[in-house]
Every structure is written in C-alpha cells, then in structure tokens.
Amino acid sequence: MATFLSSVSSVVVIVLIMLLGYVLRRAGWLADSFSGNISKLITQIALPASIFISVQNNLTRGSLLNLFEDLLLPFIGVVISYVVAFILVKVIKVKVGRRGTFINTIANANTIFIGMPLNIALFGNRAMPYFLVYYIINTVSTWAFGVFLIKNDDPTLVAQEKKEHKIEWKKILPMPLVGFIVAVIWLLTGWELPTFANQTFTYIGNLVTPLSLIYIGIVLADSGIKSVHFDKDTVIALLGRFILAPAVMIFLVKIGAPALKLTVPSLMGQTFIVQAATPALSVLPILANEAHGDVDYATNVVVLSTLLFIVVVPVLMLIVG
C-alpha cells in the first residue's frame, strides 16, 4: 500500500506542476513567446545536461560494459513496438502532423520523469542497473530515431524537402543524443568530473522536468482544457503505450529470453516490464511544436497517459509481483 501511495504521489506532483503552467498562462504571467523559449532551452541545453549527469552519477566503466550485454530484450521490445506502430499509422490513417507523436507514444516511454522514481519506489536502488539498461535503449531510440520521425512529419514540408532533411546532422544527432554520446565517452576516459561542472550540469538538468510540465500546462491554457479528450488516434496510442508495449516485454521476458537462452534475473524482468508501461514522453508537445505538428494532439496523449497511469500502477504491481 505504501508503494502504491508513493507512486500515486509522484503522478500527483506532475499534475500539479502542469496545473501551475496552466494557471500562470491564464493569469497572463507568461508571454506568448515564453513557451517557444523554454522549448529550445529544454531540448538544446537542459536535456543534454540531464542525460550527461545521469550517466556520470549512475554508471561506471565496468558497469557500462556489463550493462550493454543486457540491452537485447528492451531493444527487441522497442523494435516490435515501432513496427506495430507503423502498421497502425497506415491502418487507421493517422494524419500528417500526428504520425511521429503517435509512433513515439507507443514505442518510447517517460523513463526519467516517471519511470525512474516509480522504479525506485517499487524496487529500490538495487534495481538501478537494470533501469539504466532500459534507459539507454529508450534514450537512443527517442533521440536517434523517434525525434527524427516527428521532425520528418512536419506538415509544412513538401516531399522533396523531407528527403533533403533526412541527411541533416541536427536530425540524426540531436543535442540530447549528443549529450548521451559525450557522457559515455567521458565515462570511458575515467576522468572525474570537476565539482563545479557536476553541480552546474545537475542544476541545469534539473530544469527539464518542471519546465516540460509547465510547457504542457501553457499549451493546455492556450488550447483550452476542453481540448483534452478521447479520439480514435489518442485511444489507440494509449492502448499501445499501456497494453501493447508492456505485453511485448512480458512475452520477451517470459518466453523470448528462455528461447534465446538469455538469463534474465527476476528483478531485471520486473524493471523492464514496469518501464515499458510508463506514460508518454513529456517533451512530445515541445518536439511537435518545433516540427509544426499537432501540438494539441501531443499534449492530449501526454496529459491523458500521465493521468491514466494512476490506474496502471496497481495493475503493474500485480503483474510484477
């Protein structure tokens, strides 16, 4: 019961910060340009710093090499989710401007903002190495491929422009992924991060969660709270996030791993299943905005998946024991 209340408490905090952004925007405290400004601050500066410092604080050279051996299952799970999401886009005819968000909702999870505190609440720090395995796959998936799908789904671009955009390095190597690559390289050097640099990256990285949630609140204020609703694209995306993704991971842990002769400790399997069922990425509205996509739709799936996760938590607890 204590774990359940702790998990619900984490979700309530997220909702309250989104509410703060909503109230401040409605009160006129935040200018029209503010959301665009914090969008760039998050994606170009704060998020890379957050990823860099997370790697430095939670991994060592030895553990990094060992963890890479456990990447196969979450990698297969994410690939399967992508394949199913692509098929669903064609079958239900998701319109341009929503497709990248739709696919990301199904394939990529909110591992940092919700997944990590939930994992600690359920299993404690002893599960942190297994969490980082999923985090690595989710991070690379999001910033090497997921963000590319959103950028390439820009409805203002014609087909020829989209082809040209495919070779742009800023799309292949967005700043959050650059932050991860630099973090791994720095970790492998064995150099200790100076105290002032560690504190600077930590403070800047800590901006990601509150600013992302405040941004969602601003978008809600601009579009109106009535914009949060259940439509076909939203419902199927949420089913993919909360049913398909964890179901695939359960199958891989229970059946796929033995078939591949992989050793999956119980705690690792439980961690993978929990992370596969966390809400949609809170930065989706920001990414959709940068790509001239459907920001209201992105906000809708993020808000609803975050709220519905309160219901998903007890189900997850039953599944993982």
Side-chain angles (χ1 to χ4, degrees):
M1 186 63 181
T3 301
F4 171 74
L5 292 177
S6 177
S7 303
V8 172
S9 177
S10 298
V11 177
V12 170
V13 169
I14 291 170
V15 173
L16 289 177
I17 297 177
M18 287 192 296
L19 181 61
L20 174 63
Y22 178 88
V23 172
L24 292 180
R25 176 58 175 161
R26 297 288 291 182
W29 284 29
L30 306 178
D32 294 340
S33 61
F34 183 76
S35 60
N37 294 336
I38 63 172
S39 169
K40 292 182 179 179
L41 174 60
I42 292 170
T43 57
Q44 301 300 316
I45 298 177
L47 195 51
S50 175
I51 293 173
F52 182 90
I53 205 64
S54 294
V55 171
Q56 305 310 314
N57 290 343
N58 295 301
L59 290 176
T60 64
R61 282 187 294 177
S63 64
L64 179 66
L65 297 176
N66 292 332
L67 287 178
F68 280 139
E69 299 176 0
D70 301 324
L71 296 175
L72 184 59
L73 285 187
F75 173 76
I76 294 175
V78 169
V79 170
I80 293 175
S81 296
Y82 270 120
V83 171
V84 175
F86 273 108
I87 294 174
L88 288 174
V89 165
K90 299 296 183 181
V91 172
I92 68 174
K93 299 179 180 179
V94 179
K95 65 181 182 180
V96 176
R98 289 186 173 190
R99 294 173 182 174
T101 300
F102 180 90
I103 295 171
N104 272 274
T105 299
I106 295 176
N108 298 315
N110 195 340
T111 54
I112 287 297
F113 304 153
I114 296 180
M116 183 165 64
L118 176 65
N119 215 71
I120 293 175
L122 290 175
F123 311 122
N125 288 325
R126 63 196 179 99
M128 184 58 69
Y130 303 132
F131 165 79
L132 288 172
V133 170
Y134 199 95
Y135 165 75
I136 290 170
I137 290 295
N138 194 76
T139 298
V140 175
S141 168
T142 300
W143 299 107
F145 189 58
V147 70
F148 164 75
L149 294 177
I150 295 178
K151 296 287 187 181
N152 204 48
D153 190 39
D154 190 333
T156 65
L157 300 179
V158 297
Q160 182 60 34
E161 288 177 320
K162 289 185 177 182
K163 291 181 180 179
E164 294 173 354
H165 276 227
K166 289 181 180 179
I167 62 175
E168 291 184 6
W169 283 103
K170 66 180 181 180
K171 293 182 182 292
I172 299 175
L173 289 175
M175 285 306 296
L177 182 58
V178 171
F180 177 77
I181 294 173
V182 172
V184 171
I185 293 174
W186 183 275
L187 188 67
L188 292 176
T189 65
W191 297 339
E192 184 176 351
L193 196 66
T195 301
F196 76 89
N198 188 299
Q199 293 178 344
T200 300
F201 285 132
T202 299
Y203 285 136
I204 295 175
N206 287 342
L207 295 173
V208 174
T209 301
L211 288 183
S212 295
L213 297 176
I214 287 174
Y215 177 86
I216 295 173
I218 294 172
V219 173
L220 276 175
D222 290 339
S223 59
I225 197 66
K226 293 181 180 179
S227 64
V228 178
H229 62 283
F230 291 93
D231 58 22
K232 179 192 63 175
D233 294 347
T234 300
V235 170
I236 296 179
L238 292 175
L239 289 175
R241 175 93 304 268
F242 290 135
I243 296 181
L244 170 66
V248 168
M249 188 53 62
I250 291 172
F251 174 83
L252 290 174
V253 169
K254 302 295 184 182
I255 300 176
L260 296 172
K261 297 182 179 180
L262 297 175
T263 301
V264 180
S266 176
L267 189 58
M268 178 190 291
Q270 292 171 339
T271 297
F272 287 173
I273 293 170
V274 167
Q275 294 307 312
T278 49
L281 294 160
S282 60
V283 295
L284 284 181
I286 296 175
L287 297 175
N289 178 66
E290 292 184 345
H292 308 101
D294 192 335
V295 180
D296 291 342
Y297 174 72
T299 303
N300 197 43
V301 294
V302 170
V303 172
L304 286 175
S305 66
T306 302
L307 295 176
L308 290 175
F309 191 64
I310 299 175
V311 179
V312 175
V313 168
V315 178
L316 278 177
M317 292 172 64
L318 290 176
I319 292 175
V320 303

